[in-house]
Amino acid sequence: LTFANPLGGVYVEDTTDTDFTGVSGDADADYYMKVKTAWIKVAGINGFQRIKKFVLLGEYRSACEIKVSVYYDYDDTTVVQTISFKSEDFAKTAGESFEVMGYLKRQKCTSVMFEIEEANVSGTKESFYLSGMSLEVGVKKGMARLSERKRS
């Protein structure tokens, strides 16, 4: 078993050392947060929705950049849009809460997935804590249209 603590310490399980006083691994290695949501489909499995914007809520810890990649319609291989937020634009003091808002260029979809990651981390390298995410969503009646090749 191997795990890392929030301060970047790396621990490898030693069955003879039950209190983890013997640390092994690369204690100087940096680890960065990357979170990916599940597919968000508020209009049902093949419904049609419009997502206009999102808001991230969190707590600022040190200088960083928050990068949000957006995927659509169950295609988790193609990033359609990337939005970046630099910490100097939304917070100054460690422990300060923040909200950042991103507008989606493509709003109509059957599903959407967000990947949120920290980049260009400096200072204490804690960067930020992510508390939540909100979406502004509208649902259209009926199902999404399918291309000609997907119909019989």
Side-chain angles (χ1 to χ4, degrees):
L1 177 65
T2 303
F3 64 93
N5 71 18
L7 300 176
V10 178
Y11 300 92
V12 178
E13 182 179 29
D14 177 352
T15 56
T16 63
D17 182 19
T18 57
D19 62 357
F20 296 104
T21 55
V23 177
S24 61
D26 187 359
D28 294 329
D30 291 330
Y31 296 89
Y32 299 101
M33 177 173 53
K34 182 186 270 189
V35 177
K36 192 180 270 190
T37 69
W39 285 107
I40 300 167
K41 45 200 175 299
V42 295
I45 196 159
N46 196 32
F48 200 50
Q49 62 191 14
R50 179 186 297 263
I51 300 180
K52 296 181 180 183
K53 58 189 169 186
F54 66 89
V55 175
L56 298 179
L57 173 65
E59 183 181 309
Y60 171 76
R61 304 306 297 165
S62 67
C64 67
E65 183 177 343
I66 300 173
K67 187 173 107 176
V68 180
S69 300
V70 186
Y71 301 82
Y72 290 96
D73 298 334
Y74 304 105
D75 178 1
D76 61 359
T77 60
T78 306
V79 175
V80 176
Q81 182 179 359
T82 301
I83 303 167
S84 294
F85 305 97
K86 294 184 178 183
S87 60
E88 63 261 21
D89 296 333
F90 62 78
K92 303 289 183 229
T93 308
E96 178 182 351
S97 64
F98 71 84
E99 288 181 292
V100 292
M101 181 181 297
Y103 291 88
L104 301 182
K105 291 178 183 174
R106 178 179 166 196
Q107 297 179 354
K108 296 177 184 177
C109 61
T110 56
S111 63
V112 66
M113 179 170 59
F114 296 90
E115 181 178 77
I116 304 155
E117 61 186 303
E118 57 187 356
N120 302 318
V121 179
S122 62
T124 64
K125 297 189 178 183
E126 288 183 271
S127 68
F128 66 95
Y129 297 136
L130 185 61
S131 304
M133 179 178 197
S134 296
L135 303 173
E136 184 176 303
V137 178
V139 177
K140 297 186 66 117
K141 290 182 182 178
M143 297 187 336
R145 292 183 185 177
L146 296 177
S147 66
E148 191 68 37
R149 65 180 178 82
K150 293 182 179 179
R151 292 184 268 170
S152 62

